[in-house]
Amino acid sequence: MSSLTWRLSWWLIRAQFMTRRTATALSMLAIALGVSLGYAIHLINDAALADFSQAMKSVQGEPDAVLAPRDSSGHVPLALVDALARDEAVALAVPVIETRVRLDNTATTVRLIGLDAFSAALLMPNLMPRQGGADGGTTSIFEDGVYASPALLARLNTKVGAPQGLPSVAGITATRGEARWTTPIRGDLPAVRDDELLLVADIAWVQAHFGPREGVGEVRLRLAPGVSPAAWIATWSARLPPGLGLRAADDNLARMSNVSRAYRVNLNVLAMVALLTGAFLVFATQLTAVAQRSTQFALLGVLGLPPRMRLAQVLVEGLAIGIPGAAAGLGLGYGLAVLFTRLLGGDLGGGFFAASSPVVVPELAPAAVFFVAGCGASLMGALYPAWLNRIQPLAPALKAGFAQQAPSTLSASRHAKRIALALVALAAVALTRLPAIDDLPLAGYTAIALVLVLGIAAAPAATRLVFGGLERLRLSAPLRIAVQNILQAPLMAQVAASGLIVSFALTVSMVTMVSSFRTALDQWLDDVLPAPMYMRSKGVPLPADMLAELERPQSPFVRVERMATVMLTLDPRRPPVALLVRELDRADPAARLPFTGAVLAAPPGRITAWISEPLQELHGLVPGQTLHLPLLGREVEVFVGGVWRDYARQFGAVVIAAADYRALGGSVAATDLALWPRPGQEDAAGRWMRAQAKHHGIEGVGSGEIRELSLSIFDKSFAVTYALEAAAMLIGLFGLAVTLAASVWLRARELATLSALGFDRAMLGRAIVFEGALIAVIGLALGLACGVAVGAILTHVVNPQAFHWRMPLQVPWAQVLLGAALTLFAGMGASRFAARQATRLPAAQVLASAQ
Amino acid sequence: MLSIAGLSKRHPHAPRPVFSGLGLSVATGEIVALTGESGVGKSTLLNCIAGLEPADAGTIMVGREATDILRLDEAERAALRARSIGFVFQAFHVLPTLSVAQNIAVPLLLSGVAAHDHAARIEALLARVGLAGFGPRWPASLSGGELQRVAIARALVHGPTLILADEPTGNLDPRTADEVLALLLERVREEGASALIVTHSQHVAQCCDRILTLTPDGLE
Ligand SMILES: Nc1ncnc2c1ncn2[C@@H]1O[C@H](COP(=O)(O)OP(=O)(O)OP(=O)(O)O)[C@@H](O)[C@H]1O
Ligand SMILES: [Mg+2]
């Protein structure tokens, strides 16, 4: 295009924006929202992962490989540590014992890391301590005692190595189960990040007090220069006993990224939906713009505007909406990312990363990608209107204005359309049968998109079906006009309805999914909380003296069930799976676990494990199969006795009976208790529990509270969907109003003729409101049908594949129908508005503008 | 100049052709009036000449290079219109969202006339159609006669060799019609262009160099 045609193009864009400010601004806003949402998610996640890997490096150093037990209660034998240190390919082998201990002084639990001072200094310089007292300075010699991170010191309110050099050293008492260590704080850890609560001590002291007796927790390895880590890991892995695993450095990050992946993808899909609504608004705006200006474009064509410019102009106008929209979206996204990381941390409130405040760093390439996505969405919206504008024949357009339908040679026959629709429906059904791709429900999302396409494409047929019969009835004049208009101008009706179809479908599906999930969660909480009271201490065994008190005959409880948790690494690149060791009746596990299907009894002599639904989804297991668990330093075969529902642990859990675990040689260090008070002693039991909880800094709550808390967390985390639903419905209504107003405008001549024939303004207004209502009925009916289908895909395909949990489908009909009625009402309001615009014009003016 | 030979045209689904084997030629600088009954095909003929509608057979040579517009593709036809043809319609087809000056500038932009002398050229032309100082105004504020003068200015601004006018005064009252027509003829003669003017008015026809009447059997 030459600079001259650019100038003409710019005049037309400016004129267009000036005459349609609201529609243009809203389209821009929708594009901006889509871009900002996607970009913010990207920035936040990038920042969180960078922050996590930095935190991990600062505590772990940067080993090439880590040798660790696959069972979190296991250890690496000392003989193996020696063998590794003797391997020529190993430059540095650093043994580490890491455990969690409870500090009596603070009623909190912290990480205690035991290090060998000489080797650790090379790999983990950040963990090197500084002596308290006058001489200060970093030392690599550990004294008998612990060194605390700055954050922990602040928490303990202890000053070490004060500037004036006053020795002010306090002691702590660390406990873990029955083990107990009272020791002075010798100094601090100046290089540790200030959000880490941790203690460092010499590995020998940690081992002496908390074990493991015959080994270390893990060995972090730096390989000699020139040794390929992958090859080295492969050779060594073959020689390791089954209870141990070697993982490469990048496995940790991959595992972390995997943790929040499905959640992120879900948010990204929401961002894409926002972008698509942006594309839809651009579509509605540009289609009506093309229709309104068909005479102008025909005139420009007569004056010599090249045909490709008629196409290009509409696309350029789409871009003129997309470019500022996407640019604003980038700015908004950055702002959102900064705001959210400050408020919620790097996991967007998903609870996946520990509390941290990562720094958001914008980079050029991703910003460019999101910018292009925003522009692409608006271009996509402008594509069909541009094509329609291109194919308008000049002479008739000049005489009679916009032709709503493509020339008959171009529009497919009704028969071909039906076949195409049937094929799309079949494809959607087929896609819901496909498994997840790379752990993501991509086929499910595609099926949802197809359902929406199907809904929109079915609008003309549905219109004929519903209103075709109406035409033959005796109707009042306004109603007859409305029906005829819809039947004769299917494209405008389709555009007006499509916004409502998509927005109502999304709303219904969202409400359905949330309601199904909530009902299922409610039921599940009933099943998994049989006891009236629960106590829990995260990561650390419950205090031994407290457990001893429960054993006494005068305890206010009739029944106590203990549970211990061990983390098992089944796949080094996935989050570990929880092994729940529970005191339950092996013959009747269903009394404690909400099974989803049949429960099989194990063949005699075999150990039974009951797996959670997420584990079943992840590993494709069925009851009756054998599962290999890395337990207690060896590979143990267990019989899968059943699958139970679990909404708490997304990455899988296995339950085995405490008796079986003890028989295998394990010891149950309880972290969770279920408590049944003695009848009549409920108050005493409650008092006892609260006192213990306060004293030891652990959780102690009634089942009712857990239930309330869980449901309120659920409601809070889904509250944002209501805002999205409202936004979607507003966009749909806006689309209805815009297209209705535009179609009234297009029919100005016909309306003027009607008023000349004695059809008064009130009747005209009523006809337009009827038309809006009829379109809204079609849109809502199709939207409802699509919404239930999409809701079913979300609950039965997307949720199990992305989050590995299943639930029965439950459509909240009352809520949905009320929503439909409200939308219909609002749709009639929007039509009233369009009608007022149309009937305000005096007939003569209408006639003049129709020329 | 314009020269048509053996032109045949039938609308799709129409029972009989609008015209067949039609011949016509307009010399450079000649102004021809085209009359005929309603529905006989005058507008269709003009549309064919401008390349807005396809014809079934024949040749239509237009412009200094005598290009056959029927052999061109859509883009080439648009380019030819931008270069060599000016159009005036019965209805005042003016772009409502562009100012008067911008409306007149459109053919300059489309025919690629260098931008630096647009303003002066438009101002001079506006003065010659009696609209001096109207450049910045919006079409909605102009009367019918004024709008048709704008259309005339726009048809002439890029120096076309052929002006096609389809009942240019049909929408105006008789007095204004006479004024506007006189202006059109004067400007066309001044530019040395050829013109084909469709009209129902005998008075208008008499002001032209030659009068042709289109009948179902051909031109007379
Ligand atoms: N797109 C079309 N399809 C079918 N027939 C058409 C089409 N356009 C015009 N016609 C027919 O072709 C004939 C010529 O039409 P045209 O508009 O050229 O007449 P006209 O001589 O300009 O009439 P008037 O003086 O009333 O403007 C008419 O009979 C008309 O009905
Ligand atoms: Mg005509």
Side-chain angles (χ1 to χ4, degrees), chain B residues 1-9 19-25 45 48-49 55-62 66-72:
Chain B
M1 67 129 253
L2 166 71
S3 118
I4 300 174
L7 185 69
S8 298
K9 164 79 185 173
F19 32 73
S20 52
L22 188 112
L24 162 69
S25 91
L45 179 58
C48 288
I49 296 172
D56 303 324
T59 54
I60 303 177
M61 305 297 196
V62 181
T67 323
D68 184 356
I69 201 163
L70 296 178
R71 302 280 167 277
L72 300 180

Side-chain angles (χ1 to χ4, degrees), chain B residues 197-212:
Chain B
I197 300 175
V198 173
T199 181
H200 287 295
S201 148
Q202 278 308 307
H203 174 72
V204 170
Q206 259 135 37
C207 298
C208 298
D209 299 337
R210 187 149 59 103
I211 302 175
L212 290 174

Side-chain angles (χ1 to χ4, degrees), chain A residues 688-708:
Chain A
W688 182 86
M689 181 179 75
R690 277 188 296 277
Q692 292 288 332
K694 189 154 186 288
H695 178 62
H696 294 289
I698 56 184
E699 290 173 38
V701 283
S703 59
E705 282 167 80
I706 298 183
R707 195 194 159 82
E708 246 167 61

Side-chain angles (χ1 to χ4, degrees), chain A residues 197-248:
Chain A
L197 289 180
L198 56 85
L199 289 169
V200 169
D202 190 280
I203 191 165
W205 291 107
V206 177
Q207 188 180 36
H209 288 98
F210 301 106
R213 298 258 167 260
E214 324 77 20
V216 298
E218 61 180 45
V219 186
R220 297 176 190 164
L221 299 154
R222 170 85 41 94
L223 299 180
V227 176
S228 142
W232 184 85
I233 288 175
T235 25
W236 264 92
S237 293
R239 281 196 265 158
L240 290 175
L244 295 177
L246 258 174
R247 57 175 195 263

Side-chain angles (χ1 to χ4, degrees), chain A residues 652-673:
Chain A
V654 189
V655 169
I656 73 170
D660 281 338
Y661 190 66
R662 285 199 196 93
L664 284 168
S667 67
V668 181
T671 54
D672 294 57
L673 294 178

Side-chain angles (χ1 to χ4, degrees), chain A residues 2 4-5 7-8 11-12 14-15 19 295-297 299-307 310 390 394-395 398 851, chain B residues 47 52-53 74-75 78 81-82 87 89 93-98 102 105-106 108-110 112-113 115 118 154 171:
Chain A
S2 71
L4 292 173
T5 42
R7 185 177 328 169
L8 177 59
W11 286 353
L12 294 176
R14 204 177 44 186
T19 46
T295 326
Q296 296 182 40
F297 270 112
L299 176 61
L300 284 167
V302 172
L303 295 179
L305 186 78
R310 266 185 290 160
R390 166 72 182 78
L394 289 183
L398 206 52
Q851 284 196 331
Chain B
N47 284 344
L52 301 177
E53 278 187 54
E74 204 185 345
R81 280 197 297 274
F87 232 112
F89 301 92
H93 278 307
V94 172
L95 297 164
T97 54
L98 300 188
Q102 285 177 333
V106 169
L108 294 177
L109 297 177
L110 290 175
V113 174
H118 284 188
R154 191 182 56 200
N171 261 4

Side-chain angles (χ1 to χ4, degrees), chain A residues 399, chain B residues 37-44 47 90 166-167 198 200:
Chain A
K399 202 156 52 171
Chain B
E37 285 177 11
S38 177
V40 80
K42 304 180 295 293
S43 299
T44 305
N47 284 344
Q90 172 177 17
D166 195 348
E167 299 184 48
V198 173
H200 287 295

